[in-house]
Amino acid sequence: DGFRGGLSRAFLKSNSFKNADEWISLLKEAKYQVDMMGYSLYMLTCTKASQDVLRELANKNIKIRILIMDSENTHFSAGLNFDGLDAMTLETMKGAVDACTRCVAGAKKNVRENKKNNLKFATIKKGLTECQIIRIDNNIYVTPYLYSCHTADSPLFVFREQKNGYFEKYMEEFEKMWEQNKQ
């Protein structure tokens, strides 16, 4: 069923797929659309290279939507295991959200004026994301948030776009969350 639904690869740990620099390289290959949703997307937005690639993509007319948790959302800490995971505190998670917000703002500031609408950002004020979704053109990368481990140690699934497949199901989730929270 997985392969008929568009599953192309699966990894026991998401950090076995790509490190931060390799994700940046993958993002650079985008041709028309990038959608990203997660708690903070810290690994993808924590460096100057991240900011640069978002700016470059927007300037090339690639549509980008980024959706992260709002640190004031009443459900913000619902899926976070502060007691069981090293280095995870409410403050570090809020700091990661702030870092992503600053990264996107910095990228958007340097996008050409007539291309600024290509880079859109919103925070999840209503609802809760229970997985990280990264869509690059016709592929979607999904990492479920497991309470027992960090995102890097959670499984990652790669789905290719096809009718009535997993790609569509996860994009439906992204679209509903986007519509409910866009600013």
Side-chain angles (χ1 to χ4, degrees):
D1 287 345
F3 293 110
R4 284 192 301 264
L7 178 65
S8 63
R9 297 184 77 188
F11 297 85
L12 186 58
K13 293 183 174 192
S14 65
N15 65 0
S16 300
F17 176 64
K18 302 265 183 216
N19 65 33
D21 292 333
E22 293 166 330
W23 272 105
I24 296 298
S25 295
L26 187 61
L27 284 170
K28 285 181 180 181
E29 295 174 14
K31 302 288 185 246
Y32 60 90
Q33 181 78 37
V34 172
D35 294 314
M36 298 191 281
M37 179 175 76
Y39 246 88
S40 68
L41 300 171
Y42 185 74
M43 185 191 73
L44 294 169
T45 59
C46 64
T47 65
K48 175 83 167 83
S50 307
Q51 198 174 84
D52 292 343
V53 76
L54 292 173
R55 175 186 44 79
E56 290 168 18
L57 293 173
N59 281 331
K60 288 199 279 186
N61 268 347
I62 294 166
K63 307 298 182 207
I64 306 163
R65 295 182 296 176
I66 298 172
L67 185 59
I68 62 170
M69 285 297 293
D70 190 298
S71 59
E72 299 302 314
N73 181 316
T74 56
H75 303 294
F76 185 77
S77 61
L80 302 175
N81 185 356
F82 299 126
D83 297 325
L85 296 178
D86 296 338
M88 184 183 285
T89 66
L90 182 59
E91 293 75 29
T92 60
M93 285 305 296
K94 285 184 174 187
V97 166
D98 291 342
C100 179
T101 303
R102 284 190 309 274
C103 173
V104 175
K108 193 160 189 164
K109 182 175 69 171
N110 293 308
V111 171
R112 289 191 299 266
E113 198 58 43
N114 64 336
K115 306 287 184 180
K116 288 201 186 286
N117 202 35
N118 290 334
L119 178 54
K120 296 179 179 179
F121 175 78
T123 60
I124 300 170
K125 293 178 182 354
K126 183 179 177 187
L128 174 68
T129 180
E130 297 190 36
C131 61
Q132 178 176 280
I133 297 173
I134 310 294
R135 181 254 181 113
I136 302 172
D137 299 331
N138 296 358
N139 288 302
I140 198 162
Y141 308 85
V142 177
T143 304
Y145 289 133
L146 302 180
Y147 192 71
S148 61
C149 58
H150 290 284
T151 306
D153 296 323
S154 297
L156 179 136
F157 303 95
V158 182
F159 302 104
R160 65 188 174 285
E161 185 174 10
Q162 69 180 59
K163 190 163 180 59
N164 299 318
Y166 293 101
F167 181 99
E168 280 186 3
K169 184 57 81 178
Y170 283 106
M171 282 310 299
E172 284 175 20
E173 176 71 1
F174 181 93
E175 295 296 344
K176 285 178 184 172
M177 293 295 279
W178 182 262
E179 287 303 314
Q180 184 170 292
N181 292 286
K182 69 181 178 182
Q183 295 146 349

